[in-house]
mmCIF file with all atom_site columns, all heavy atoms in Angstrom:
data_model
loop_
_atom_site.group_PDB
_atom_site.id
_atom_site.type_symbol
_atom_site.label_atom_id
_atom_site.label_alt_id
_atom_site.label_comp_id
_atom_site.label_asym_id
_atom_site.label_entity_id
_atom_site.label_seq_id
_atom_site.pdbx_PDB_ins_code
_atom_site.Cartn_x
_atom_site.Cartn_y
_atom_site.Cartn_z
_atom_site.occupancy
_atom_site.B_iso_or_equiv
_atom_site.pdbx_formal_charge
_atom_site.auth_seq_id
_atom_site.auth_comp_id
_atom_site.auth_asym_id
_atom_site.auth_atom_id
_atom_site.pdbx_PDB_model_num
ATOM 1   N N   . LEU A 1 1  ? -15.059 34.858 -62.882 1.00 98.00 ? 132 LEU A N   1
ATOM 2   C CA  . LEU A 1 1  ? -15.651 36.033 -63.504 1.00 98.00 ? 132 LEU A CA  1
ATOM 3   C C   . LEU A 1 1  ? -16.396 35.605 -64.764 1.00 98.00 ? 132 LEU A C   1
ATOM 4   O O   . LEU A 1 1  ? -15.847 34.882 -65.607 1.00 98.00 ? 132 LEU A O   1
ATOM 5   C CB  . LEU A 1 1  ? -14.548 37.036 -63.854 1.00 98.00 ? 132 LEU A CB  1
ATOM 6   C CG  . LEU A 1 1  ? -14.958 38.271 -64.647 1.00 98.00 ? 132 LEU A CG  1
ATOM 7   C CD1 . LEU A 1 1  ? -15.916 39.137 -63.845 1.00 98.00 ? 132 LEU A CD1 1
ATOM 8   C CD2 . LEU A 1 1  ? -13.722 39.064 -65.061 1.00 98.00 ? 132 LEU A CD2 1
ATOM 9   N N   . VAL A 1 2  ? -17.630 36.057 -64.883 1.00 98.00 ? 133 VAL A N   1
ATOM 10  C CA  . VAL A 1 2  ? -18.452 35.685 -66.034 1.00 98.00 ? 133 VAL A CA  1
ATOM 11  C C   . VAL A 1 2  ? -19.294 36.879 -66.433 1.00 98.00 ? 133 VAL A C   1
ATOM 12  O O   . VAL A 1 2  ? -19.649 37.715 -65.580 1.00 98.00 ? 133 VAL A O   1
ATOM 13  C CB  . VAL A 1 2  ? -19.327 34.458 -65.704 1.00 98.00 ? 133 VAL A CB  1
ATOM 14  C CG1 . VAL A 1 2  ? -20.319 34.758 -64.604 1.00 98.00 ? 133 VAL A CG1 1
ATOM 15  C CG2 . VAL A 1 2  ? -20.010 33.906 -66.940 1.00 98.00 ? 133 VAL A CG2 1
ATOM 16  N N   . GLN A 1 3  ? -19.622 36.968 -67.708 1.00 98.00 ? 134 GLN A N   1
ATOM 17  C CA  . GLN A 1 3  ? -20.505 38.034 -68.163 1.00 98.00 ? 134 GLN A CA  1
ATOM 18  C C   . GLN A 1 3  ? -21.953 37.709 -67.845 1.00 98.00 ? 134 GLN A C   1
ATOM 19  O O   . GLN A 1 3  ? -22.328 36.538 -67.715 1.00 98.00 ? 134 GLN A O   1
ATOM 20  C CB  . GLN A 1 3  ? -20.348 38.240 -69.663 1.00 98.00 ? 134 GLN A CB  1
ATOM 21  C CG  . GLN A 1 3  ? -19.022 38.877 -70.064 1.00 98.00 ? 134 GLN A CG  1
ATOM 22  C CD  . GLN A 1 3  ? -18.987 39.236 -71.531 1.00 98.00 ? 134 GLN A CD  1
ATOM 23  O OE1 . GLN A 1 3  ? -19.657 38.625 -72.361 1.00 98.00 ? 134 GLN A OE1 1
ATOM 24  N NE2 . GLN A 1 3  ? -18.191 40.238 -71.868 1.00 98.00 ? 134 GLN A NE2 1
ATOM 25  N N   . ALA A 1 4  ? -22.750 38.733 -67.730 1.00 98.00 ? 135 ALA A N   1
ATOM 26  C CA  . ALA A 1 4  ? -24.181 38.554 -67.504 1.00 98.00 ? 135 ALA A CA  1
ATOM 27  C C   . ALA A 1 4  ? -24.764 37.653 -68.586 1.00 98.00 ? 135 ALA A C   1
ATOM 28  O O   . ALA A 1 4  ? -24.426 37.786 -69.764 1.00 98.00 ? 135 ALA A O   1
ATOM 29  C CB  . ALA A 1 4  ? -24.884 39.892 -67.492 1.00 98.00 ? 135 ALA A CB  1
ATOM 30  N N   . GLY A 1 5  ? -25.622 36.742 -68.160 1.00 98.00 ? 136 GLY A N   1
ATOM 31  C CA  . GLY A 1 5  ? -26.198 35.771 -69.074 1.00 98.00 ? 136 GLY A CA  1
ATOM 32  C C   . GLY A 1 5  ? -25.415 34.473 -69.159 1.00 98.00 ? 136 GLY A C   1
ATOM 33  O O   . GLY A 1 5  ? -25.911 33.487 -69.722 1.00 98.00 ? 136 GLY A O   1
ATOM 34  N N   . GLY A 1 6  ? -24.231 34.462 -68.595 1.00 98.00 ? 137 GLY A N   1
ATOM 35  C CA  . GLY A 1 6  ? -23.382 33.283 -68.634 1.00 98.00 ? 137 GLY A CA  1
ATOM 36  C C   . GLY A 1 6  ? -23.706 32.274 -67.547 1.00 98.00 ? 137 GLY A C   1
ATOM 37  O O   . GLY A 1 6  ? -24.675 32.443 -66.789 1.00 98.00 ? 137 GLY A O   1
ATOM 38  N N   . SER A 1 7  ? -22.886 31.240 -67.482 1.00 98.00 ? 138 SER A N   1
ATOM 39  C CA  . SER A 1 7  ? -23.103 30.136 -66.544 1.00 98.00 ? 138 SER A CA  1
ATOM 40  C C   . SER A 1 7  ? -21.814 29.788 -65.810 1.00 98.00 ? 138 SER A C   1
ATOM 41  O O   . SER A 1 7  ? -20.714 29.991 -66.337 1.00 98.00 ? 138 SER A O   1
ATOM 42  C CB  . SER A 1 7  ? -23.592 28.887 -67.280 1.00 98.00 ? 138 SER A CB  1
ATOM 43  O OG  . SER A 1 7  ? -24.818 29.112 -67.929 1.00 98.00 ? 138 SER A OG  1
ATOM 44  N N   . LEU A 1 8  ? -21.997 29.288 -64.604 1.00 98.00 ? 139 LEU A N   1
ATOM 45  C CA  . LEU A 1 8  ? -20.911 28.714 -63.818 1.00 98.00 ? 139 LEU A CA  1
ATOM 46  C C   . LEU A 1 8  ? -21.446 27.509 -63.074 1.00 98.00 ? 139 LEU A C   1
ATOM 47  O O   . LEU A 1 8  ? -22.637 27.455 -62.746 1.00 98.00 ? 139 LEU A O   1
ATOM 48  C CB  . LEU A 1 8  ? -20.352 29.723 -62.810 1.00 98.00 ? 139 LEU A CB  1
ATOM 49  C CG  . LEU A 1 8  ? -19.423 30.824 -63.308 1.00 98.00 ? 139 LEU A CG  1
ATOM 50  C CD1 . LEU A 1 8  ? -19.120 31.793 -62.159 1.00 98.00 ? 139 LEU A CD1 1
ATOM 51  C CD2 . LEU A 1 8  ? -18.148 30.266 -63.877 1.00 98.00 ? 139 LEU A CD2 1
ATOM 52  N N   . ARG A 1 9  ? -20.545 26.590 -62.754 1.00 98.00 ? 140 ARG A N   1
ATOM 53  C CA  . ARG A 1 9  ? -20.901 25.435 -61.936 1.00 98.00 ? 140 ARG A CA  1
ATOM 54  C C   . ARG A 1 9  ? -19.975 25.387 -60.737 1.00 98.00 ? 140 ARG A C   1
ATOM 55  O O   . ARG A 1 9  ? -18.772 25.233 -60.886 1.00 98.00 ? 140 ARG A O   1
ATOM 56  C CB  . ARG A 1 9  ? -20.784 24.141 -62.715 1.00 98.00 ? 140 ARG A CB  1
ATOM 57  C CG  . ARG A 1 9  ? -21.302 22.922 -61.980 1.00 98.00 ? 140 ARG A CG  1
ATOM 58  C CD  . ARG A 1 9  ? -20.811 21.668 -62.656 1.00 98.00 ? 140 ARG A CD  1
ATOM 59  N NE  . ARG A 1 9  ? -21.545 20.472 -62.254 1.00 98.00 ? 140 ARG A NE  1
ATOM 60  C CZ  . ARG A 1 9  ? -21.046 19.247 -62.354 1.00 98.00 ? 140 ARG A CZ  1
ATOM 61  N NH1 . ARG A 1 9  ? -19.838 19.052 -62.860 1.00 98.00 ? 140 ARG A NH1 1
ATOM 62  N NH2 . ARG A 1 9  ? -21.767 18.201 -61.986 1.00 98.00 ? 140 ARG A NH2 1
ATOM 63  N N   . LEU A 1 10 ? -20.560 25.521 -59.558 1.00 98.00 ? 141 LEU A N   1
ATOM 64  C CA  . LEU A 1 10 ? -19.792 25.428 -58.326 1.00 98.00 ? 141 LEU A CA  1
ATOM 65  C C   . LEU A 1 10 ? -19.820 23.994 -57.803 1.00 98.00 ? 141 LEU A C   1
ATOM 66  O O   . LEU A 1 10 ? -20.822 23.294 -57.953 1.00 98.00 ? 141 LEU A O   1
ATOM 67  C CB  . LEU A 1 10 ? -20.359 26.358 -57.263 1.00 98.00 ? 141 LEU A CB  1
ATOM 68  C CG  . LEU A 1 10 ? -20.504 27.828 -57.636 1.00 98.00 ? 141 LEU A CG  1
ATOM 69  C CD1 . LEU A 1 10 ? -21.016 28.625 -56.427 1.00 98.00 ? 141 LEU A CD1 1
ATOM 70  C CD2 . LEU A 1 10 ? -19.214 28.401 -58.164 1.00 98.00 ? 141 LEU A CD2 1
ATOM 71  N N   . SER A 1 11 ? -18.725 23.599 -57.198 1.00 98.00 ? 142 SER A N   1
ATOM 72  C CA  . SER A 1 11 ? -18.625 22.287 -56.566 1.00 98.00 ? 142 SER A CA  1
ATOM 73  C C   . SER A 1 11 ? -18.207 22.453 -55.112 1.00 98.00 ? 142 SER A C   1
ATOM 74  O O   . SER A 1 11 ? -17.478 23.391 -54.779 1.00 98.00 ? 142 SER A O   1
ATOM 75  C CB  . SER A 1 11 ? -17.599 21.412 -57.283 1.00 98.00 ? 142 SER A CB  1
ATOM 76  O OG  . SER A 1 11 ? -17.937 21.200 -58.632 1.00 98.00 ? 142 SER A OG  1
ATOM 77  N N   . CYS A 1 12 ? -18.659 21.539 -54.284 1.00 98.00 ? 143 CYS A N   1
ATOM 78  C CA  . CYS A 1 12 ? -18.254 21.517 -52.878 1.00 98.00 ? 143 CYS A CA  1
ATOM 79  C C   . CYS A 1 12 ? -17.952 20.073 -52.510 1.00 98.00 ? 143 CYS A C   1
ATOM 80  O O   . CYS A 1 12 ? -18.871 19.253 -52.441 1.00 98.00 ? 143 CYS A O   1
ATOM 81  C CB  . CYS A 1 12 ? -19.345 22.081 -51.993 1.00 98.00 ? 143 CYS A CB  1
ATOM 82  S SG  . CYS A 1 12 ? -19.025 21.886 -50.218 1.00 98.00 ? 143 CYS A SG  1
ATOM 83  N N   . ALA A 1 13 ? -16.682 19.799 -52.292 1.00 97.00 ? 144 ALA A N   1
ATOM 84  C CA  . ALA A 1 13 ? -16.252 18.457 -51.922 1.00 97.00 ? 144 ALA A CA  1
ATOM 85  C C   . ALA A 1 13 ? -16.171 18.340 -50.407 1.00 97.00 ? 144 ALA A C   1
ATOM 86  O O   . ALA A 1 13 ? -15.521 19.158 -49.746 1.00 97.00 ? 144 ALA A O   1
ATOM 87  C CB  . ALA A 1 13 ? -14.894 18.162 -52.546 1.00 97.00 ? 144 ALA A CB  1
ATOM 88  N N   . ALA A 1 14 ? -16.843 17.345 -49.862 1.00 95.00 ? 145 ALA A N   1
ATOM 89  C CA  . ALA A 1 14 ? -16.911 17.154 -48.413 1.00 95.00 ? 145 ALA A CA  1
ATOM 90  C C   . ALA A 1 14 ? -16.084 15.958 -47.975 1.00 95.00 ? 145 ALA A C   1
ATOM 91  O O   . ALA A 1 14 ? -15.964 14.974 -48.711 1.00 95.00 ? 145 ALA A O   1
ATOM 92  C CB  . ALA A 1 14 ? -18.363 16.957 -47.985 1.00 95.00 ? 145 ALA A CB  1
ATOM 93  N N   . SER A 1 15 ? -15.534 16.066 -46.787 1.00 91.00 ? 146 SER A N   1
ATOM 94  C CA  . SER A 1 15 ? -14.794 14.958 -46.199 1.00 91.00 ? 146 SER A CA  1
ATOM 95  C C   . SER A 1 15 ? -14.970 14.984 -44.690 1.00 91.00 ? 146 SER A C   1
ATOM 96  O O   . SER A 1 15 ? -15.366 16.000 -44.116 1.00 91.00 ? 146 SER A O   1
ATOM 97  C CB  . SER A 1 15 ? -13.309 15.047 -46.555 1.00 91.00 ? 146 SER A CB  1
ATOM 98  O OG  . SER A 1 15 ? -12.739 16.242 -46.048 1.00 91.00 ? 146 SER A OG  1
ATOM 99  N N   . GLY A 1 16 ? -14.716 13.843 -44.074 1.00 87.00 ? 147 GLY A N   1
ATOM 100 C CA  . GLY A 1 16 ? -14.766 13.767 -42.623 1.00 87.00 ? 147 GLY A CA  1
ATOM 101 C C   . GLY A 1 16 ? -16.144 13.537 -42.045 1.00 87.00 ? 147 GLY A C   1
ATOM 102 O O   . GLY A 1 16 ? -16.361 13.726 -40.846 1.00 87.00 ? 147 GLY A O   1
ATOM 103 N N   . MET A 1 17 ? -17.108 13.140 -42.877 1.00 82.00 ? 148 MET A N   1
ATOM 104 C CA  . MET A 1 17 ? -18.456 12.885 -42.377 1.00 82.00 ? 148 MET A CA  1
ATOM 105 C C   . MET A 1 17 ? -19.151 11.910 -43.324 1.00 82.00 ? 148 MET A C   1
ATOM 106 O O   . MET A 1 17 ? -18.654 11.612 -44.401 1.00 82.00 ? 148 MET A O   1
ATOM 107 C CB  . MET A 1 17 ? -19.253 14.185 -42.338 1.00 82.00 ? 148 MET A CB  1
ATOM 108 C CG  . MET A 1 17 ? -19.437 14.808 -43.705 1.00 82.00 ? 148 MET A CG  1
ATOM 109 S SD  . MET A 1 17 ? -20.488 16.248 -43.687 1.00 82.00 ? 148 MET A SD  1
ATOM 110 C CE  . MET A 1 17 ? -20.439 16.729 -45.386 1.00 82.00 ? 148 MET A CE  1
ATOM 111 N N   . ILE A 1 18 ? -20.326 11.438 -42.884 1.00 82.00 ? 149 ILE A N   1
ATOM 112 C CA  . ILE A 1 18 ? -21.130 10.582 -43.747 1.00 82.00 ? 149 ILE A CA  1
ATOM 113 C C   . ILE A 1 18 ? -21.981 11.502 -44.617 1.00 82.00 ? 149 ILE A C   1
ATOM 114 O O   . ILE A 1 18 ? -23.090 11.900 -44.230 1.00 82.00 ? 149 ILE A O   1
ATOM 115 C CB  . ILE A 1 18 ? -21.992 9.614  -42.934 1.00 82.00 ? 149 ILE A CB  1
ATOM 116 C CG1 . ILE A 1 18 ? -21.096 8.791  -42.000 1.00 82.00 ? 149 ILE A CG1 1
ATOM 117 C CG2 . ILE A 1 18 ? -22.775 8.703  -43.867 1.00 82.00 ? 149 ILE A CG2 1
ATOM 118 C CD1 . ILE A 1 18 ? -21.866 7.887  -41.061 1.00 82.00 ? 149 ILE A CD1 1
ATOM 119 N N   . PHE A 1 19 ? -21.445 11.860 -45.755 1.00 86.00 ? 150 PHE A N   1
ATOM 120 C CA  . PHE A 1 19 ? -22.025 12.887 -46.609 1.00 86.00 ? 150 PHE A CA  1
ATOM 121 C C   . PHE A 1 19 ? -23.474 12.576 -46.954 1.00 86.00 ? 150 PHE A C   1
ATOM 122 O O   . PHE A 1 19 ? -24.326 13.472 -46.889 1.00 86.00 ? 150 PHE A O   1
ATOM 123 C CB  . PHE A 1 19 ? -21.185 13.002 -47.878 1.00 86.00 ? 150 PHE A CB  1
ATOM 124 C CG  . PHE A 1 19 ? -21.706 13.971 -48.895 1.00 86.00 ? 150 PHE A CG  1
ATOM 125 C CD1 . PHE A 1 19 ? -21.490 15.330 -48.759 1.00 86.00 ? 150 PHE A CD1 1
ATOM 126 C CD2 . PHE A 1 19 ? -22.436 13.536 -49.992 1.00 86.00 ? 150 PHE A CD2 1
ATOM 127 C CE1 . PHE A 1 19 ? -21.970 16.236 -49.697 1.00 86.00 ? 150 PHE A CE1 1
ATOM 128 C CE2 . PHE A 1 19 ? -22.913 14.418 -50.936 1.00 86.00 ? 150 PHE A CE2 1
ATOM 129 C CZ  . PHE A 1 19 ? -22.685 15.771 -50.788 1.00 86.00 ? 150 PHE A CZ  1
ATOM 130 N N   . ARG A 1 20 ? -23.764 11.347 -47.300 1.00 87.00 ? 151 ARG A N   1
ATOM 131 C CA  . ARG A 1 20 ? -25.092 11.010 -47.842 1.00 87.00 ? 151 ARG A CA  1
ATOM 132 C C   . ARG A 1 20 ? -26.220 11.218 -46.814 1.00 87.00 ? 151 ARG A C   1
ATOM 133 O O   . ARG A 1 20 ? -27.379 11.308 -47.188 1.00 87.00 ? 151 ARG A O   1
ATOM 134 C CB  . ARG A 1 20 ? -25.111 9.569  -48.327 1.00 87.00 ? 151 ARG A CB  1
ATOM 135 C CG  . ARG A 1 20 ? -24.929 8.532  -47.238 1.00 87.00 ? 151 ARG A CG  1
ATOM 136 C CD  . ARG A 1 20 ? -24.977 7.123  -47.777 1.00 87.00 ? 151 ARG A CD  1
ATOM 137 N NE  . ARG A 1 20 ? -24.824 6.128  -46.727 1.00 87.00 ? 151 ARG A NE  1
ATOM 138 C CZ  . ARG A 1 20 ? -23.664 5.679  -46.299 1.00 87.00 ? 151 ARG A CZ  1
ATOM 139 N NH1 . ARG A 1 20 ? -22.548 6.129  -46.845 1.00 87.00 ? 151 ARG A NH1 1
ATOM 140 N NH2 . ARG A 1 20 ? -23.606 4.775  -45.344 1.00 87.00 ? 151 ARG A NH2 1
ATOM 141 N N   . ASP A 1 21 ? -25.882 11.295 -45.546 1.00 91.00 ? 152 ASP A N   1
ATOM 142 C CA  . ASP A 1 21 ? -26.897 11.417 -44.498 1.00 91.00 ? 152 ASP A CA  1
ATOM 143 C C   . ASP A 1 21 ? -27.312 12.858 -44.220 1.00 91.00 ? 152 ASP A C   1
ATOM 144 O O   . ASP A 1 21 ? -28.251 13.093 -43.457 1.00 91.00 ? 152 ASP A O   1
ATOM 145 C CB  . ASP A 1 21 ? -26.381 10.807 -43.196 1.00 91.00 ? 152 ASP A CB  1
ATOM 146 C CG  . ASP A 1 21 ? -26.276 9.299  -43.247 1.00 91.00 ? 152 ASP A CG  1
ATOM 147 O OD1 . ASP A 1 21 ? -26.820 8.697  -44.186 1.00 91.00 ? 152 ASP A OD1 1
ATOM 148 O OD2 . ASP A 1 21 ? -25.637 8.730  -42.348 1.00 91.00 ? 152 ASP A OD2 1
ATOM 149 N N   . ASN A 1 22 ? -26.601 13.814 -44.792 1.00 94.00 ? 153 ASN A N   1
ATOM 150 C CA  . ASN A 1 22 ? -26.787 15.204 -44.404 1.00 94.00 ? 153 ASN A CA  1
ATOM 151 C C   . ASN A 1 22 ? -27.380 16.081 -45.499 1.00 94.00 ? 153 ASN A C   1
ATOM 152 O O   . ASN A 1 22 ? -27.030 15.960 -46.672 1.00 94.00 ? 153 ASN A O   1
ATOM 153 C CB  . ASN A 1 22 ? -25.444 15.804 -43.991 1.00 94.00 ? 153 ASN A CB  1
ATOM 154 C CG  . ASN A 1 22 ? -24.909 15.173 -42.741 1.00 94.00 ? 153 ASN A CG  1
ATOM 155 O OD1 . ASN A 1 22 ? -25.509 15.271 -41.674 1.00 94.00 ? 153 ASN A OD1 1
ATOM 156 N ND2 . ASN A 1 22 ? -23.780 14.494 -42.864 1.00 94.00 ? 153 ASN A ND2 1
ATOM 157 N N   . THR A 1 23 ? -28.267 16.978 -45.081 1.00 97.00 ? 154 THR A N   1
ATOM 158 C CA  . THR A 1 23 ? -28.721 18.052 -45.953 1.00 97.00 ? 154 THR A CA  1
ATOM 159 C C   . THR A 1 23 ? -27.552 19.005 -46.200 1.00 97.00 ? 154 THR A C   1
ATOM 160 O O   . THR A 1 23 ? -26.785 19.319 -45.281 1.00 97.00 ? 154 THR A O   1
ATOM 161 C CB  . THR A 1 23 ? -29.885 18.819 -45.327 1.00 97.00 ? 154 THR A CB  1
ATOM 162 O OG1 . THR A 1 23 ? -31.007 17.940 -45.218 1.00 97.00 ? 154 THR A OG1 1
ATOM 163 C CG2 . THR A 1 23 ? -30.275 20.028 -46.152 1.00 97.00 ? 154 THR A CG2 1
ATOM 164 N N   . MET A 1 24 ? -27.423 19.430 -47.447 1.00 97.00 ? 155 MET A N   1
ATOM 165 C CA  . MET A 1 24 ? -26.366 20.371 -47.834 1.00 97.00 ? 155 MET A CA  1
ATOM 166 C C   . MET A 1 24 ? -26.995 21.624 -48.419 1.00 97.00 ? 155 MET A C   1
ATOM 167 O O   . MET A 1 24 ? -28.105 21.591 -48.960 1.00 97.00 ? 155 MET A O   1
ATOM 168 C CB  . MET A 1 24 ? -25.447 19.734 -48.871 1.00 97.00 ? 155 MET A CB  1
ATOM 169 C CG  . MET A 1 24 ? -24.749 18.460 -48.405 1.00 97.00 ? 155 MET A CG  1
ATOM 170 S SD  . MET A 1 24 ? -23.584 18.765 -47.067 1.00 97.00 ? 155 MET A SD  1
ATOM 171 C CE  . MET A 1 24 ? -22.392 19.825 -47.889 1.00 97.00 ? 155 MET A CE  1
ATOM 172 N N   . GLY A 1 25 ? -26.273 22.724 -48.295 1.00 98.00 ? 156 GLY A N   1
ATOM 173 C CA  . GLY A 1 25 ? -26.806 23.972 -48.821 1.00 98.00 ? 156 GLY A CA  1
ATOM 174 C C   . GLY A 1 25 ? -25.735 24.865 -49.401 1.00 98.00 ? 156 GLY A C   1
ATOM 175 O O   . GLY A 1 25 ? -24.543 24.669 -49.158 1.00 98.00 ? 156 GLY A O   1
ATOM 176 N N   . TRP A 1 26 ? -26.198 25.811 -50.206 1.00 98.00 ? 157 TRP A N   1
ATOM 177 C CA  . TRP A 1 26 ? -25.352 26.883 -50.722 1.00 98.00 ? 157 TRP A CA  1
ATOM 178 C C   . TRP A 1 26 ? -25.911 28.210 -50.213 1.00 98.00 ? 157 TRP A C   1
ATOM 179 O O   . TRP A 1 26 ? -27.125 28.442 -50.273 1.00 98.00 ? 157 TRP A O   1
ATOM 180 C CB  . TRP A 1 26 ? -25.328 26.898 -52.243 1.00 98.00 ? 157 TRP A CB  1
ATOM 181 C CG  . TRP A 1 26 ? -24.527 25.811 -52.865 1.00 98.00 ? 157 TRP A CG  1
ATOM 182 C CD1 . TRP A 1 26 ? -24.976 24.620 -53.340 1.00 98.00 ? 157 TRP A CD1 1
ATOM 183 C CD2 . TRP A 1 26 ? -23.115 25.813 -53.091 1.00 98.00 ? 157 TRP A CD2 1
ATOM 184 N NE1 . TRP A 1 26 ? -23.938 23.886 -53.837 1.00 98.00 ? 157 TRP A NE1 1
ATOM 185 C CE2 . TRP A 1 26 ? -22.776 24.597 -53.700 1.00 98.00 ? 157 TRP A CE2 1
ATOM 186 C CE3 . TRP A 1 26 ? -22.098 26.727 -52.822 1.00 98.00 ? 157 TRP A CE3 1
ATOM 187 C CZ2 . TRP A 1 26 ? -21.463 24.257 -54.067 1.00 98.00 ? 157 TRP A CZ2 1
ATOM 188 C CZ3 . TRP A 1 26 ? -20.793 26.409 -53.176 1.00 98.00 ? 157 TRP A CZ3 1
ATOM 189 C CH2 . TRP A 1 26 ? -20.483 25.188 -53.788 1.00 98.00 ? 157 TRP A CH2 1
ATOM 190 N N   . TYR A 1 27 ? -25.027 29.040 -49.712 1.00 98.00 ? 158 TYR A N   1
ATOM 191 C CA  . TYR A 1 27 ? -25.355 30.394 -49.286 1.00 98.00 ? 158 TYR A CA  1
ATOM 192 C C   . TYR A 1 27 ? -24.468 31.364 -50.073 1.00 98.00 ? 158 TYR A C   1
ATOM 193 O O   . TYR A 1 27 ? -23.469 30.960 -50.667 1.00 98.00 ? 158 TYR A O   1
ATOM 194 C CB  . TYR A 1 27 ? -25.073 30.571 -47.786 1.00 98.00 ? 158 TYR A CB  1
ATOM 195 C CG  . TYR A 1 27 ? -26.061 29.878 -46.881 1.00 98.00 ? 158 TYR A CG  1
ATOM 196 C CD1 . TYR A 1 27 ? -26.070 28.499 -46.738 1.00 98.00 ? 158 TYR A CD1 1
ATOM 197 C CD2 . TYR A 1 27 ? -26.989 30.624 -46.147 1.00 98.00 ? 158 TYR A CD2 1
ATOM 198 C CE1 . TYR A 1 27 ? -26.981 27.866 -45.891 1.00 98.00 ? 158 TYR A CE1 1
ATOM 199 C CE2 . TYR A 1 27 ? -27.899 30.009 -45.304 1.00 98.00 ? 158 TYR A CE2 1
ATOM 200 C CZ  . TYR A 1 27 ? -27.887 28.633 -45.174 1.00 98.00 ? 158 TYR A CZ  1
ATOM 201 O OH  . TYR A 1 27 ? -28.785 28.019 -44.338 1.00 98.00 ? 158 TYR A OH  1
ATOM 202 N N   . ARG A 1 28 ? -24.829 32.631 -50.023 1.00 98.00 ? 159 ARG A N   1
ATOM 203 C CA  . ARG A 1 28 ? -23.982 33.633 -50.646 1.00 98.00 ? 159 ARG A CA  1
ATOM 204 C C   . ARG A 1 28 ? -24.014 34.931 -49.849 1.00 98.00 ? 159 ARG A C   1
ATOM 205 O O   . ARG A 1 28 ? -24.980 35.212 -49.147 1.00 98.00 ? 159 ARG A O   1
ATOM 206 C CB  . ARG A 1 28 ? -24.396 33.907 -52.090 1.00 98.00 ? 159 ARG A CB  1
ATOM 207 C CG  . ARG A 1 28 ? -25.751 34.559 -52.245 1.00 98.00 ? 159 ARG A CG  1
ATOM 208 C CD  . ARG A 1 28 ? -26.114 34.670 -53.729 1.00 98.00 ? 159 ARG A CD  1
ATOM 209 N NE  . ARG A 1 28 ? -27.403 35.325 -53.930 1.00 98.00 ? 159 ARG A NE  1
ATOM 210 C CZ  . ARG A 1 28 ? -28.008 35.425 -55.113 1.00 98.00 ? 159 ARG A CZ  1
ATOM 211 N NH1 . ARG A 1 28 ? -27.435 34.918 -56.207 1.00 98.00 ? 159 ARG A NH1 1
ATOM 212 N NH2 . ARG A 1 28 ? -29.172 36.046 -55.214 1.00 98.00 ? 159 ARG A NH2 1
ATOM 213 N N   . GLN A 1 29 ? -22.950 35.694 -49.989 1.00 98.00 ? 160 GLN A N   1
ATOM 214 C CA  . GLN A 1 29 ? -22.865 36.992 -49.330 1.00 98.00 ? 160 GLN A CA  1
ATOM 215 C C   . GLN A 1 29 ? -22.307 37.990 -50.330 1.00 98.00 ? 160 GLN A C   1
ATOM 216 O O   . GLN A 1 29 ? -21.134 37.910 -50.704 1.00 98.00 ? 160 GLN A O   1
ATOM 217 C CB  . GLN A 1 29 ? -21.983 36.920 -48.083 1.00 98.00 ? 160 GLN A CB  1
ATOM 218 C CG  . GLN A 1 29 ? -22.010 38.208 -47.274 1.00 98.00 ? 160 GLN A CG  1
ATOM 219 C CD  . GLN A 1 29 ? -21.433 38.027 -45.876 1.00 98.00 ? 160 GLN A CD  1
ATOM 220 O OE1 . GLN A 1 29 ? -20.795 37.018 -45.566 1.00 98.00 ? 160 GLN A OE1 1
ATOM 221 N NE2 . GLN A 1 29 ? -21.674 38.995 -45.019 1.00 98.00 ? 160 GLN A NE2 1
ATOM 222 N N   . GLY A 1 30 ? -23.179 38.897 -50.755 1.00 97.00 ? 161 GLY A N   1
ATOM 223 C CA  . GLY A 1 30 ? -22.775 39.937 -51.684 1.00 97.00 ? 161 GLY A CA  1
ATOM 224 C C   . GLY A 1 30 ? -22.126 41.104 -50.965 1.00 97.00 ? 161 GLY A C   1
ATOM 225 O O   . GLY A 1 30 ? -22.209 41.211 -49.732 1.00 97.00 ? 161 GLY A O   1
ATOM 226 N N   . PRO A 1 31 ? -21.513 42.000 -51.719 1.00 93.00 ? 162 PRO A N   1
ATOM 227 C CA  . PRO A 1 31 ? -20.838 43.166 -51.118 1.00 93.00 ? 162 PRO A CA  1
ATOM 228 C C   . PRO A 1 31 ? -21.808 43.998 -50.283 1.00 93.00 ? 162 PRO A C   1
ATOM 229 O O   . PRO A 1 31 ? -22.856 44.423 -50.783 1.00 93.00 ? 162 PRO A O   1
ATOM 230 C CB  . PRO A 1 31 ? -20.343 43.947 -52.337 1.00 93.00 ? 162 PRO A CB  1
ATOM 231 C CG  . PRO A 1 31 ? -20.302 42.958 -53.443 1.00 93.00 ? 162 PRO A CG  1
ATOM 232 C CD  . PRO A 1 31 ? -21.393 41.980 -53.173 1.00 93.00 ? 162 PRO A CD  1
ATOM 233 N N   . GLY A 1 32 ? -21.485 44.189 -49.028 1.00 95.00 ? 163 GLY A N   1
ATOM 234 C CA  . GLY A 1 32 ? -22.319 44.988 -48.148 1.00 95.00 ? 163 GLY A CA  1
ATOM 235 C C   . GLY A 1 32 ? -23.631 44.354 -47.756 1.00 95.00 ? 163 GLY A C   1
ATOM 236 O O   . GLY A 1 32 ? -24.517 45.038 -47.233 1.00 95.00 ? 163 GLY A O   1
#
């Protein structure tokens, strides 16, 4: 939870694959 104007840093740790070979992405799904 953050106030408007603030910052957050998300991380995604991957395992079980050759990470460096793959394109990665972030998606989001808001309410409704």
Side-chain angles (χ1 to χ4, degrees):
L132 174 64
V133 64
Q134 289 188 333
S138 299
L139 283 174
R140 187 195 196 203
L141 305 183
S142 300
C143 172
S146 61
M148 62 175 178
I149 304 175
F150 177 80
R151 65 179 181 273
D152 290 347
N153 294 297
T154 295
M155 300 294 296
W157 286 96
Y158 287 73
R159 66 185 181 187
Q160 187 165 13

